[in-house]
Amino acid sequence: MDLIKRPRRLRTSEAVRRLVRETSVSVDDLIYPLFIVEGNGIKNEIPSMPGVYHLSIDNMLKELEEISKLGIPGVLLFGIPDEKDEIGSGAYDSDGIIQRALRAAKKEFPGLLLIADVCLCEYTSHGHCGVINDGRVLNDPSVELVVKTALSYAQAGADIVAPSDMMDGRIIAIRQALDQNGLTDKIIMAYSAKYASSFYGPFRDAAHSKPAFGDRKTYQMDYCNLNEALREVALDIEEGADIVMVKPALAYLDVINEVGRRFDVPVAAYNVSGEYSMIKAAVMNGWIDERGAVMESVTAIKRAGAKIIITYFAKQIAEWIG
Ligand code: PBG
């Protein structure tokens, strides 16, 4: 055979593979999600998410120490309150679980980026992301509470607020509230293309936020749609989002790619709980190599066009590549 073109030449050694490699995940790209609960000394493993814990604020601080040492730039905080009500008032209580967690974290780790997930579902008795009337999730009254929550987190020390409720118009409303309160430097990372997904199952166990009736399909997106994601992203950028997010990640690489090509703001992808738990379950059964499967997955998310990857594997990845 007299071949001139032999693509295999560029795969002959690890050195040349490194040289021509097109994508690499860096610790700089990672965000680690944390679940914060009331109490003291609590570190309880979430059954459907092996290796992920419910942490009380004291243990969160220990965790932040490790995360800082690993060089991970930031954490995404979710609060699980003891008490829930119809309107999720715990979310915007100035002494709520996340507000206290933020104040403690900011004081001890001023260099770590604190991102607060902004949503009502962990705080409402019915588990929906907004206010209910007659079995429907109302948009505008929900936005009002989401804005109060975002403002309260920003005032408590969040560097980034990340609204995940998918109500219409919440980004502009949050931006105006932040500006009116002199918080012009606070970053909004919008969950712009958030799909109604079965892959959130383990998170809802972790956050006790499974809807008590119905589903989230009237506010989260239909997974059949790509153009709708582009419209959502365009709106959020117009309304003042600094970073836009696609969620979940692995089943939506096409969406990440299209958003990355069309818009010039940083794109984040959320490698969600179900995506984490599937790999963990296979690893625990000895069916799959963990490091290989995780690195392949997060590299694919980066290759698709995400700059920021939110993943429960962040600490493990930082240990492997750091
Ligand atoms: C809150 C929220 C959810 C997730 C992030 N923010 C759950 C949901 O929408 O039901 C899911 C995260 C994950 O699955 O890891 N609205």
Side-chain angles (χ1 to χ4, degrees):
M1 275 223 291
D2 202 9
L3 276 180
I4 295 170
K5 300 278 185 183
R6 288 182 184 271
R8 288 185 56 194
R9 283 184 202 117
L10 295 182
R11 299 178 207 137
T12 46
S13 68
E14 178 58 13
V16 74
R17 288 193 296 269
R18 279 174 52 211
L19 195 67
V20 300
R21 195 156 280 157
E22 297 170 38
T23 311
S24 60
V25 171
S26 149
V27 178
D28 295 340
D29 306 330
L30 304 175
I31 296 292
Y32 188 56
L34 291 173
F35 297 99
I36 316 301
V37 295
E38 298 285 354
N40 239 300
I42 294 171
K43 182 174 181 182
N44 294 334
E45 192 169 41
I46 296 157
S48 54
M49 299 180 74
V52 178
Y53 298 85
H54 280 147
L55 300 169
S56 49
I57 292 176
D58 55 327
N59 280 329
M60 171 196 77
L61 293 172
K62 289 183 195 152
E63 190 73 33
L64 295 183
E65 173 91 50
E66 259 184 63
I67 290 162
S68 304
K69 282 202 184 120
L70 286 167
I72 295 170
V75 291
L76 173 61
L77 301 181
F78 293 95
I80 299 135
D82 279 350
E83 312 258 323
K84 308 191 185 214
D85 61 25
E86 275 285 298
I87 53 168
S89 62
Y92 49 88
D93 176 351
S94 60
D95 217 21
I97 178 75
I98 286 299
Q99 286 82 352
R100 280 179 283 132
L102 286 166
R103 286 194 287 267
K106 187 88 260 164
K107 190 159 152 241
E108 297 214 16
F109 301 95
L112 194 64
L113 274 176
L114 302 178
I115 310 173
D117 181 90
V118 178
C119 197
L120 302 177
C121 64
E122 298 97 340
Y123 302 87
T124 51
S125 43
H126 45 72
H128 276 288
C129 304
V131 178
I132 305 281
N133 189 18
D134 239 353
R136 284 167 46 87
V137 178
L138 303 179
N139 195 83
D140 300 9
S142 302
V143 168
E144 274 181 42
L145 302 184
V146 164
V147 169
K148 275 170 92 165
T149 305
L151 184 59
S152 169
Y153 292 160
Q155 285 167 336
D159 304 291
I160 304 182
V161 288
S164 67
D165 53 289
M166 287 300 279
M167 298 300 136
D168 294 334
R170 87 268 206 228
I171 302 300
I172 181 78
I174 291 171
R175 178 58 77 205
Q176 282 168 350
L178 291 172
D179 284 355
Q180 279 158 14
N181 285 273
L183 298 165
T184 50
D185 284 345
K186 299 292 180 183
I187 295 164
I188 301 178
M189 178 165 79
Y191 284 73
S192 301
K194 178 176 179 180
Y195 288 87
S197 171
S198 294
F199 293 107
Y200 306 152
F203 174 96
R204 291 181 192 168
D205 287 345
H208 310 301
S209 64
K210 193 171 179 301
F213 63 91
D215 52 42
R216 302 206 200 289
K217 290 182 184 165
T218 69
Y219 42 107
Q220 299 181 351
M221 284 179 45
D222 182 342
Y223 60 70
C224 306
N225 297 349
L226 169 61
N227 289 330
E228 188 186 356
L230 302 175
R231 293 198 295 273
E232 284 280 8
V233 167
L235 274 175
D236 284 355
I237 294 172
E238 257 173 62
E239 292 183 26
D242 304 288
I243 297 170
V244 294
M245 193 200 298
V246 175
K247 176 186 173 192
L250 290 173
Y252 299 86
L253 295 176
D254 57 329
V255 181
I256 295 171
N257 187 255
E258 204 64 35
V259 170
R261 285 173 189 279
R262 295 205 192 200
F263 300 95
D264 62 359
V265 301
V267 179
Y270 199 141
N271 183 215
V272 301
S273 57
E275 298 175 320
Y276 172 84
S277 299
M278 286 194 299
I279 291 184
K280 280 288 176 189
V283 168
M284 287 163 81
N285 275 293
W287 293 339
I288 204 171
D289 171 60
E290 183 166 32
R291 181 169 175 172
V294 171
M295 290 312 299
E296 186 174 335
S297 304
V298 290
T299 304
I301 295 168
K302 180 107 186 248
R303 192 186 62 230
K307 170 59 184 77
I308 300 162
I309 304 167
I310 302 166
T311 176
Y312 303 95
F313 287 114
K315 278 171 62 185
Q316 284 177 273
I317 296 169
E319 274 160 19
W320 293 328
I321 67 175

